[in-house]
């Protein structure tokens, strides 16, 4: 008996979710008012589709929400999502989640009103994204930063160049360095392929390498890489929609923020809503203007306009003018794959950030957190060891883990381990596993 999931809204976010969830053989029904969009999705994914308005009883019944384990209302209309979620719950759906835009809805004291209506979770892609951007700026030396269990374990990604001491070393040769007791390389992205490193793997120039460490050793990674920690003070943002505003709001108490937008009225509105940011009206495609407004003194540049192309080009320009950290928001999946090779530091896509967050809620009981990495087809899955089986009777090397997976870290109460082959799991451990898609079935068997 699979999990039945109903998704209202077949736009980008609905599509990403349907795609992520269809890998896990869940039965998915998509509701959308647009026939063409539905046809497109069903030509690509194995899903059922229902055409119509998700707030109508007839359509919800046709989509069998009464049998749904989860209803995800993720259309572009907040009101549609809230009504759909409330009705679906009344019709018998086990859990419902609604995508919202309004920031005050997300405040914890207001969440209880939605709980009373039967809505289990609210999700705001924009707010998740701005949180993610804040994280990336705080840890600006890395291109990706993930944390587990509130930061007990961190996973960071960085591209290595020829000058790096690790380049041309085998993984097993790094073991002699005591620093590697607390940090480990767990994945390498090379030519758009993901490698799970073995002892004999050689680290190459231009490899994009992911390290895992406990919180206090993130600094150690910087030492291994011979990189200075760069403190970020000045941040320039281009754009002016909700994403730019939310991000500026989150950053302005910690950094000096300059926001540039080309619409005069919008600038007035932004200036009223931001306390500490400098809002400038001007055309951000004009490099001279950016330089006048201090581009060359910036430590970080965030391109958050509606156009992926503008964002990529502007980030490259900023990089060219000596800005240390650039982040571009992109909507197109193709671009995400090529970002590392064109030289944009970090790309972010709010639909993917949100879809990852949702699939975390949906994974089976033993799996607690999942993060996807841009451009990487592996994901981190956090399992709890909940049964007394062979998992806890043998060291890891004897458990016949699939080659396409690695136990990256283990959390035991307050303690954190970066396990090697001799490590032995214990009951109630949380194991964070990095897995390529082909490893998933074997892992399900191991952890059940």
């Amino acid at each position: 008996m699979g999990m039945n999931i109903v998704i209202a809204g077949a736009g980008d976010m609905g599509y990403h979710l349907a795609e992520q969830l269809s890998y896990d053989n869940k039965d998915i029904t998509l509701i959308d008012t647009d026939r063409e969009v539905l046809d497109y999705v069903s030509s690509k994914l194995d899903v059922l589709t229902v055409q119509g308005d998700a707030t109508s009883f007839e359509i919800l019944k046709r989509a069998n929400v009464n049998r749904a384990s989860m209803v995800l209302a993720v259309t572009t209309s907040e009101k549609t999502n809230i009504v759909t979620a409330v009705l679906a719950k009344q019709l018998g759906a086990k859990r419902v989640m609604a995508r919202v835009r309004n920031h005050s809805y997300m405040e914890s004291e207001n969440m209880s009103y939605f709980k009373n209506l039967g809505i289990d979770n609210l999700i705001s892609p924009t707010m998740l994204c701005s949180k993610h951007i804040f994280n990336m700026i705080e840890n600006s030396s890395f291109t990706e930063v993930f944390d587990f269990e509130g930061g007990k374990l961190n996973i960071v990604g960085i591209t290595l160049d020829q000058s790096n001491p690790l380049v041309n070393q085998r993984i097993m040769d790094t073991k002699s360095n005591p620093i590697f007791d607390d940090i480990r390389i767990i994945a390498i992205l090379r030519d758009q392929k993901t490698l799970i490193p073995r002892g004999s793997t050689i680290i190459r120039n231009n490899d994009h390498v992911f390290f895992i460490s406990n919180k206090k050793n993130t600094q150690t990674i910087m030492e291994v890489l011979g990189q200075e920690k760069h403190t970020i003070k000045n941040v320039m943002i281009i754009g002016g929609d909700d994403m730019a505003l939310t991000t500026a709001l989150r950053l302005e108490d910690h950094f000096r923020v300059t926001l540039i937008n080309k619409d005069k009225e919008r600038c007035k509105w932004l200036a009223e809503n931001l306390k500490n940011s400098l809002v400038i009206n001007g055309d951000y495609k004009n490099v001279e203007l950016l330089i006048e407004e201090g581009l060359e003194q910036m430590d970080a540049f965030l391109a958050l306009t509606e156009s992926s192309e503008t964002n990529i080009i502007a980030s490259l320009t900023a990089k060219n003018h000596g800005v240390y950290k650039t982040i571009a928001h992109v909507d197109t999946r193709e671009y995400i794959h090529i970002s590392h090779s064109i030289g944009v530091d970090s790309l972010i896509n709010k639909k993917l950030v949100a879809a990852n967050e949702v699939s975390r809620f949906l994974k089976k009981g033993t799996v607690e957190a999942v993060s996807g990495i841009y451009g990487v087809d592996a994901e981190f899955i956090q399992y709890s060891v909940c049964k007394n089986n062979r998992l806890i009777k043998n060291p890891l090397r004897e458990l016949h883990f699939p080659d396409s997976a690695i136990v990256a870290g283990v959390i035991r109460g307050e303690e954190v381990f970066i396990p090697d082959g001799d490590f032995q799991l214990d009951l109630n451990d949380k194991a964070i596993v990095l897995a390529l898609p082909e490893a998933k079935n074997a892992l399900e068997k191991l952890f059940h």
Side-chain angles (χ1 to χ4, degrees):
M1 170 67 200
M3 217 179 182
N4 284 328
I5 294 174
V6 176
I7 301 174
D12 279 352
M13 190 175 164
Y15 183 89
H16 275 306
L17 281 168
E19 182 178 51
Q20 285 194 351
L21 298 167
S22 61
Y23 288 141
D24 303 333
N25 309 323
K26 296 187 171 38
D27 296 321
I28 296 162
T29 306
L30 264 176
I31 305 174
D32 201 282
T33 48
D34 186 333
R35 180 78 261 159
E36 263 179 43
V37 172
L38 289 175
D39 288 342
Y40 172 76
V41 177
S42 54
S43 72
K44 296 263 187 272
L45 305 173
D46 177 20
V47 293
L48 296 170
T49 60
V50 173
Q51 186 188 0
D53 178 348
T55 59
S56 110
F57 279 114
E58 186 208 346
I59 296 294
L60 288 171
K61 286 177 178 154
R62 206 184 313 157
N64 291 324
V65 295
N66 58 319
R67 294 210 302 272
S69 337
M70 181 68 147
V71 173
L72 301 166
V74 296
T75 73
T76 47
S77 152
E78 179 174 72
K79 295 190 171 52
T80 300
N81 296 341
I82 290 172
V83 175
T84 300
V86 169
L87 296 181
K89 189 63 170 252
Q90 297 299 322
L91 289 170
K94 270 206 196 56
R95 297 177 70 184
V96 299
M97 182 188 275
R99 167 188 179 173
V100 297
R101 281 216 167 87
N102 186 328
H103 297 181
S104 64
Y105 288 175
M106 302 293 292
E107 285 162 17
S108 44
E109 65 268 26
N110 297 338
M111 267 306 294
S112 57
Y113 300 126
F114 290 97
K115 288 263 194 290
N116 293 342
L117 289 170
I119 299 178
D120 300 290
N121 296 95
L122 292 180
I123 188 163
S124 156
T126 312
M127 287 187 75
L128 282 170
C129 214
S130 66
K131 192 169 137 200
H132 204 77
I133 289 174
F134 182 79
N135 233 344
M136 287 161 106
I137 288 185
E138 285 275 78
N139 297 282
S140 62
S141 330
F142 304 111
T143 42
E144 294 86 0
V145 180
F146 300 101
D147 60 357
F148 289 88
E149 291 291 298
K152 285 185 188 159
L153 271 179
N154 273 3
I155 286 165
V156 298
I158 194 162
T159 303
L160 303 184
D161 61 21
Q162 205 54 63
S163 64
N164 197 286
L166 294 176
V167 169
N168 295 332
Q169 287 206 38
R170 287 183 308 175
I171 299 271
M172 60 175 78
D173 304 334
T174 60
K175 293 274 195 292
S176 57
N177 187 335
I179 286 177
F180 278 92
D181 293 348
D182 296 310
I183 60 176
R184 172 153 317 143
I185 294 176
I186 51 161
I188 296 174
L189 189 57
R190 180 182 299 167
D191 306 329
Q192 300 185 25
K193 284 198 181 55
T194 311
L195 313 173
I196 303 262
R198 300 284 159 227
S200 57
T201 306
I202 296 173
I203 301 165
R204 299 273 181 225
N205 181 24
N206 232 358
D207 276 354
H208 192 71
V209 175
F210 291 91
F211 291 89
I212 187 163
S213 73
N214 55 19
K215 194 78 171 179
K216 54 182 186 297
N217 287 304
T218 309
Q219 194 48 49
T220 322
I221 298 177
M222 299 307 298
E223 288 160 27
V224 175
L225 298 174
Q227 268 160 323
E228 301 297 303
K229 183 163 168 53
H230 197 100
T231 313
I232 289 196
K233 294 192 186 72
N234 302 315
V235 180
M236 184 179 275
I237 300 177
I238 62 169
D241 66 354
D242 194 29
M243 177 85 163
L245 171 71
T246 312
T247 305
L249 278 170
R250 198 177 279 261
L251 296 178
E252 66 174 3
D253 295 338
H254 306 267
F255 307 100
R256 279 205 291 279
V257 175
T258 306
L259 188 124
I260 300 180
N261 183 272
K262 44 179 190 260
D263 180 317
K264 204 167 182 130
E265 284 308 303
R266 184 68 177 170
C267 281
K268 280 186 192 147
W269 184 86
L270 286 163
E272 281 161 21
N273 285 279
L274 289 163
K275 291 186 203 52
N276 299 329
S277 301
L278 173 63
V279 178
I280 289 163
N281 176 220
D283 180 5
Y284 38 69
K285 287 188 178 161
N286 172 353
V287 181
E288 296 308 309
L289 169 92
L290 297 181
I291 291 174
E292 250 164 66
E293 298 305 342
L295 178 66
E296 293 173 336
Q297 285 73 55
M298 293 295 155
D299 305 299
F301 180 87
L302 311 178
L304 307 177
T305 78
E306 287 89 85
S307 151
S308 301
E309 287 80 1
T310 302
N311 294 343
I312 289 176
I313 300 286
S315 296
L316 292 173
T317 307
K319 206 68 197 154
N320 221 6
H321 284 273
V323 177
Y324 175 71
K325 177 79 183 174
T326 61
I327 299 175
H329 186 271
V330 295
D331 265 337
T332 332
R333 318 188 56 162
E334 282 311 298
Y335 293 157
I336 291 181
H337 280 285
I338 59 176
S339 68
H340 292 309
S341 47
I342 42 183
V344 177
D345 289 341
S346 301
L347 288 187
I348 187 160
N349 174 313
K350 71 174 185 228
K351 315 278 183 347
L352 269 180
V353 168
N356 282 332
E357 182 73 11
V358 175
S359 43
R360 265 174 57 170
F361 287 114
L362 290 181
K363 291 291 174 181
K364 295 206 182 81
T366 49
V367 181
E368 304 191 359
V370 173
S371 314
I373 316 174
Y374 298 132
V376 174
D377 41 9
E379 57 182 355
F380 296 105
I381 311 175
Q382 181 172 316
Y383 293 98
S384 325
V385 181
C386 47
K387 281 210 280 297
N388 193 344
N389 57 14
R390 69 191 183 94
L391 263 186
I392 62 176
K393 297 197 172 62
N394 303 304
L396 287 180
R397 69 163 49 100
E398 290 167 27
L399 291 178
H400 305 299
F401 253 75
D403 265 354
S404 44
I406 182 174
V407 180
V410 175
I411 297 169
R412 183 174 292 169
E414 288 305 303
E415 280 187 290
V416 175
F417 302 94
I418 310 282
D420 56 12
D422 301 323
F423 186 87
Q424 209 152 346
L425 287 165
D426 211 344
L427 212 54
N428 301 324
D429 279 358
K430 290 177 177 167
I432 292 160
V433 179
L434 176 75
L436 291 168
E438 60 267 26
K440 288 208 187 138
N441 289 343
L443 289 172
E444 290 288 315
K445 287 196 185 74
L446 265 170
F447 282 95
H448 276 316

